[in-house]
Amino acid sequence: MTAAWLIVESLLLLILFAVSLFVPGWIIIRRFRWSNIEKIPTAIALSLLIIYLLAELIYLAHLPWSICYLITLVFCLFGYAIRTDLLAFWRNGAIRYLLASYGLLLTMTFSFLAITRHYSGGGWGGDFLEHFERVQYFFSNYPPEHKLIEVYYFPARPPLMNLITAFFLSQIEVSYQLFQVAFCALNTLVYFACIYLMSLFYRLKKGHYLLVAIFLSFNPAFQENSIYAWTKLFAAFFLLMMLSNYLRATEKNDLRRMLLAAVFGATALLAHYSAGPYLVFFALHYLCIWFKRQNKIKEPLLVALAGGSLLASWFVWSVLVYGSKMTFAANSSMTEFKKQSFTDYWEIFSSNLYNTFIPHPFVKLPLNAEYLFVQISEYGYWRDYFFMIYQTCFPWSLGIVSAFVGSFLFFKALKNISWSKRLFWISFIVFNVILGIAVIGTGGDFGAAQICLLPITLAGIALVAVRFLTLNKYFRYLLVVGLCFDLTAGVVLQFRMQQHFPLLYLAGSYPVVPIFGGLLGLSTLSSAALITESKVRLLGHALAPYAPIFWLSAILVSLLFIFKLSQAAAAGKFVYYSRLTLFSCFALILVVVGFLVCLSDFRLEYELEDMAAYQKKYPRTQVAATLKSLMAALPDHPENAKLYYLLGVNSYRLNDFGNAVKYLNEALLLNPADNRARFVLGFIFIVMKMPGDAFPVQIADLVNYNPGNTAYLEHYAQVLNERGYVNTAATVRSKLNKLNKVEQ
């Protein structure tokens, strides 16, 4: 697929989104006497739900996916039928400003997506490929025992976002690049939910729409979770919709809004199980206020029926196909809980809770956590350093300065509301923070804000944006500077690092491992290796020739945003047309310098053309020192086998065969089934001209640990032939022929 055609397909996909993600829901609520700010996100949420149910019906009824064309045509006919409403929308200046603000947010986010060639940061990895396999699941006939990315059974995660994506991709093309576009577009819809939530408490003007877009665009947690191909931010959209409708329902005794709250809560759980703690909170709170409700019998029955029916659309099917045990216990948290004693669990919970609030710079990290930061590239080091603050710590996920301002504004707002509302908000945050961390089955040396606390983070960002103009002038200035820092350290630097992708280094003619000249951390290497092995092609690969254009787009939108924000900060009100001020010039310079600093890493030459250039740029002693400190930090745990493998390959590519053998043997001790390590080790034996009896041992191990994987034997025989070991190659091919006969 050419880059130009991919851009055309991406635009077609976005047009499909524009038609399908508004019209169906609007048909349902167009007669409701609500404000437009309430109607727009509600119509979007209901449209998404309708598409999910239709896509599930197509899959369960074994209908051809081509029927999606017909469904989209029906949506278009509905759109034509309500053209009067749509024209009225377009004539509304406030709505146009809202959509323009979202368009700028989407432009900046998509610009970063278009330069992303791999996903990395801290220890993240794997989910971006798993969710694509989940989309492919609906187009394939996988057996129930099939494991996604060879780790998870299908019921481990709910299917909402994957089914919706399948609906759209079936009409264009099922490719990883369009999958990225679809997931990114769905994740950014949380912007409308933030606007809706804030409209419940403050009278919003047009300028507030742009302010929320600016604060979200400059926030590292939002940008990374929008572009990373997973479903937490999409679940946060429905949770914020649930919160908004629940608050309206309790305030006005509105049965219709309460039903919507239940539906959106169930939908959030179908997007990601991290919504579970919030549903528990709302259920308990509803029990506490039930005696005040007008319809004490009818309402709870309808709420339970609406939410329960929607959840049944997934859980009943999963139980029938996979059984109750796999349905409810395949989730990663549940599998970890089963392994733990209460003492182990309490230690994990307390550690996660502490690390979520206290960023790693203020904590002495154990050696087994230091490996996330060990690397030659200073840019990669600082990327991981700030990544593990913005993504895993609360309230720092709001931003370095926004964390303080958001906390101040929250406690200030509590003084101006009734005691019952004050109790609600305090209990909402405390309960969901504690339970959101308690449901995490694994411990770590960093926080866990990225799992269950995203809805609170997003609500906090929206609060700071909407109340920005009410702050003291110098606080506004400080906040603008803080946003510039967040943009540089948490957004631009992150995506500059994700733009790099390594060349392949060949062992013989077999691509063994991707190479990073700058050694941008082991999570980067692991992610790149996974992309290479899975043979997926990310959007940043296909659009690489246009990368300067996308960088320019991101820079221009950022400059526009910071100009408007700095003007508002200086004037104390939102200024639509004005001249440059001294502070605006200062803020613009900060943004430009931030981009230039992050982009100046081109001098490191990550993607060197050959091994000679690599060894000249990074002498063996420098790399060996890094690998030595990395080796000392790794504990003996099976999960670290792949890290030892990468250490071994990095030593091998520097012709340091002694350490390469040492590290690869360590990988095999931790994970004897690691065929990659065994293959590279066998190749090193060839290069080192080890005794001939070493070859049959390696061959036997390859066969014993994975008899069905004949690809390694094929490559092994090819390498032996290239090196002149004709007799040994014949032995390998003989074994290979026997295996092939057995399979037949």
Side-chain angles (χ1 to χ4, degrees):
M1 183 191 302
T2 64
W5 181 244
L6 178 58
I7 292 174
V8 170
E9 286 192 331
S10 299
L11 292 175
L12 286 174
L13 181 61
L14 293 178
I15 293 172
L16 275 179
F17 269 64
V19 172
S20 304
L21 295 188
F22 181 76
V23 172
W26 181 260
I27 294 293
I28 297 174
I29 65 166
R30 62 192 297 257
R31 299 296 183 187
F32 290 7
R33 295 187 176 182
W34 296 357
S35 68
N36 287 330
I37 294 302
E38 294 175 291
K39 281 186 174 182
I40 291 174
T42 304
I44 293 172
L46 288 174
S47 298
L48 288 166
L49 179 57
I50 291 169
I51 291 172
Y52 159 71
L53 293 173
L54 289 172
E56 186 177 39
L57 178 62
I58 291 171
Y59 175 73
L60 295 180
H62 302 288
L63 297 174
W65 281 97
S66 57
I67 201 173
C68 294
Y69 293 110
L70 178 61
I71 294 172
T72 301
L73 177 61
V74 172
F75 291 162
C76 291
L77 293 176
F78 282 155
Y80 180 77
I82 60 168
R83 61 189 182 279
T84 305
D85 292 358
L86 298 179
L87 288 173
F89 254 64
W90 185 248
R91 295 190 189 102
N92 188 317
I95 299 301
R96 288 203 306 272
Y97 207 86
L98 173 72
L99 296 178
S101 299
Y102 173 68
L104 288 171
L105 169 67
L106 198 62
T107 300
M108 186 169 175
T109 304
F110 268 85
S111 296
F112 288 125
L113 175 68
I115 59 176
T116 297
R117 298 171 69 192
H118 80 277
Y119 294 105
S120 63
W124 288 18
D127 303 80
F128 64 88
L129 186 58
E130 178 198 350
H131 281 290
F132 181 57
E133 288 193 19
R134 289 182 177 277
V135 173
Q136 291 178 311
Y137 179 94
F138 298 109
F139 300 104
S140 308
N141 294 315
Y142 289 130
E145 63 273 12
H146 175 75
K147 284 190 174 183
L148 303 167
I149 62 170
E150 300 181 359
V151 176
Y152 299 106
Y153 290 107
F154 188 73
R157 305 186 196 276
L160 178 89
M161 195 172 183
N162 310 100
L163 264 171
I164 292 172
T165 302
F167 173 85
F168 288 107
L169 296 193
S170 67
Q171 301 177 65
I172 301 179
E173 182 184 359
V174 182
S175 69
Y176 193 84
Q177 296 99 322
L178 293 181
F179 160 78
Q180 286 182 278
V181 173
F183 259 53
C184 183
L186 291 173
N187 281 327
T188 57
L189 293 175
V190 76
Y191 165 79
F192 294 103
C194 290
I195 295 291
Y196 182 12
L197 179 63
M198 289 299 106
S199 71
L200 302 183
F201 312 105
Y202 307 106
R203 186 180 179 85
L204 300 185
K205 299 180 180 179
K206 291 192 296 184
H208 291 116
Y209 305 152
L210 185 59
L211 286 174
V212 174
I214 293 171
F215 275 75
L216 287 176
S217 295
F218 284 22
N219 181 263
F222 171 81
Q223 287 289 7
E224 179 62 16
N225 283 282
S226 294
I227 292 173
Y228 197 86
W230 60 7
T231 62
K232 294 183 177 70
L233 204 59
F234 194 55
F237 165 74
F238 285 103
L239 283 173
L240 292 179
M241 290 299 299
M242 179 189 189
L243 173 61
S244 301
N245 280 279
Y246 183 82
L247 291 173
R248 281 290 199 203
T250 53
E251 179 184 347
K252 297 186 175 183
N253 254 313
D254 190 333
L255 173 61
R256 189 163 49 192
R257 292 181 190 271
M258 188 62 77
L259 288 175
L260 283 175
V263 167
F264 292 152
T267 310
L269 193 67
L270 293 178
H272 198 279
Y273 289 139
S274 61
Y278 295 87
L279 268 63
V280 173
F281 171 81
F282 284 115
L284 293 175
H285 186 267
Y286 184 79
L287 289 176
C288 294
I289 65 169
W290 170 74
F291 66 94
K292 296 182 180 179
R293 305 298 295 168
Q294 288 182 352
N295 300 305
K296 294 182 177 60
I297 304 299
K298 179 182 178 181
E299 185 178 78
L301 289 176
L302 290 177
V303 164
L305 180 63
S309 300
L310 192 54
L311 292 176
S313 68
W314 157 243
F315 287 105
V316 170
W317 174 83
S318 183
V319 169
L320 292 175
V321 175
Y322 290 93
S324 58
K325 182 178 180 180
M326 190 177 294
T327 296
F328 298 105
N331 181 263
S332 56
S333 292
M334 295 302 297
T335 55
E336 292 297 328
F337 284 141
K338 291 187 291 185
K339 304 175 185 176
Q340 299 163 1
S341 65
F342 179 78
T343 305
D344 295 333
Y345 169 75
W346 179 255
E347 183 178 345
I348 290 172
F349 167 71
S350 56
S351 173
N352 285 338
L353 186 63
Y354 179 81
N355 292 325
T356 296
F357 286 98
I358 310 299
H360 68 82
F362 304 101
V363 178
K364 182 174 175 57
L365 292 174
L367 283 176
N368 65 342
E370 290 287 353
Y371 77 85
L372 289 177
F373 303 113
V374 176
Q375 52 197 295
I376 290 176
S377 169
E378 291 184 6
Y379 291 83
Y381 171 85
W382 287 112
R383 184 280 297 269
D384 288 328
Y385 185 91
F386 288 112
F387 182 93
M388 299 308 291
I389 297 174
Y390 287 119
Q391 303 299 331
T392 67
C393 297
F394 180 82
W396 313 106
S397 52
L398 275 72
I400 297 299
V401 177
S402 298
F404 295 100
V405 176
S407 301
F408 166 75
L409 290 173
F410 173 72
F411 287 110
K412 182 180 178 181
L414 289 179
K415 295 180 180 180
N416 302 321
I417 57 179
S418 63
W419 70 269
S420 59
K421 293 181 179 178
R422 194 178 307 157
L423 179 62
F424 171 85
W425 283 109
I426 293 175
S427 60
F428 174 78
I429 292 178
V430 172
F431 182 92
N432 286 303
V433 167
I434 293 177
L435 187 58
I437 295 174
V439 297
I440 301 170
T442 56
D445 301 296
F446 303 93
Q450 80 280 7
I451 299 178
C452 291
L453 304 188
L454 272 176
I456 300 176
T457 294
L458 293 166
I461 295 169
L463 175 64
V464 175
V466 168
R467 303 302 291 165
F468 173 73
L469 297 176
T470 66
L471 296 171
N472 177 278
K473 181 178 181 179
Y474 297 103
F475 277 108
R476 295 198 298 268
Y477 287 167
L478 180 62
L479 194 51
V480 172
V481 174
L483 285 175
C484 292
F485 181 83
D486 295 337
L487 175 68
T488 301
V491 178
V492 180
L493 183 59
Q494 167 69 20
F495 293 107
R496 175 56 175 169
M497 295 300 101
Q498 289 190 169
Q499 185 184 7
H500 299 302
F501 195 82
L503 301 171
L504 292 179
Y505 185 51
L506 302 179
S509 60
Y510 180 61
V512 176
V513 71
I515 289 180
F516 266 80
L519 282 179
L520 286 175
L522 287 174
S523 72
T524 300
L525 286 172
S526 298
S527 174
L530 185 59
I531 291 170
T532 302
E533 291 170 4
S534 62
K535 299 180 180 179
V536 299
R537 185 172 168 82
L538 270 65
L539 198 64
H541 287 108
L543 300 180
Y546 301 97
I549 297 175
F550 292 115
W551 273 114
L552 180 62
S553 171
I555 292 171
L556 291 177
V557 175
S558 299
L559 290 176
L560 173 63
F561 278 168
I562 205 64
F563 172 69
K564 302 299 289 186
L565 187 66
S566 59
Q567 293 290 78
K573 60 182 180 179
F574 197 83
V575 182
Y576 295 94
Y577 305 100
S578 63
R579 297 179 181 178
L580 273 173
T581 63
L582 183 62
F583 181 69
S584 295
C585 293
F586 172 70
L588 290 170
I589 291 171
L590 281 182
V591 171
V592 171
V593 170
F595 271 93
L596 290 178
V597 168
C598 295
L599 293 174
S600 67
D601 74 328
F602 69 89
R603 59 188 174 83
L604 293 182
E605 299 180 70
Y606 293 101
E607 300 170 25
L608 299 174
E609 294 298 331
D610 52 48
M611 185 53 58
Y614 174 81
Q615 291 176 344
K616 182 178 179 181
K617 186 72 179 179
Y618 299 100
R620 182 187 299 182
T621 52
Q622 183 183 6
V623 178
T626 304
L627 296 181
K628 183 178 179 181
S629 59
L630 191 55
M631 182 74 174
L634 291 178
D636 290 335
H637 191 281
E639 291 181 359
N640 290 323
K642 65 179 180 180
L643 304 180
Y644 280 108
Y645 162 74
L646 293 169
L647 288 174
V649 173
N650 275 286
S651 299
Y652 158 69
R653 73 191 191 190
L654 293 173
N655 296 324
D656 184 4
F657 298 130
N659 276 326
V661 172
K662 174 184 175 182
Y663 295 144
L664 292 169
N665 277 326
E666 189 68 30
L668 290 172
L669 285 174
L670 294 175
N671 181 16
D674 190 344
N675 277 331
R676 296 183 307 172
R678 202 169 297 284
F679 177 81
V680 179
L681 193 59
F683 181 73
I684 291 172
F685 287 163
I686 297 174
V687 176
M688 295 175 67
K689 297 183 179 179
M690 297 284 284
D693 59 358
F695 306 136
V697 171
Q698 291 300 317
I699 295 167
D701 286 343
L702 277 169
V703 174
N704 291 338
Y705 283 112
N706 196 348
N709 192 347
T710 57
Y712 281 95
L713 288 178
E714 181 65 44
H715 289 301
Y716 203 52
Q718 184 179 346
V719 171
L720 287 168
N721 264 325
E722 291 171 357
R723 292 285 173 165
Y725 296 94
V726 180
N727 293 333
T728 310
T731 304
V732 175
R733 292 199 181 279
S734 174
K735 175 63 72 173
L736 184 61
N737 291 334
K738 290 181 180 179
L739 287 173
N740 288 333
K741 288 180 180 178
V742 170
E743 288 181 3
Q744 292 173 1

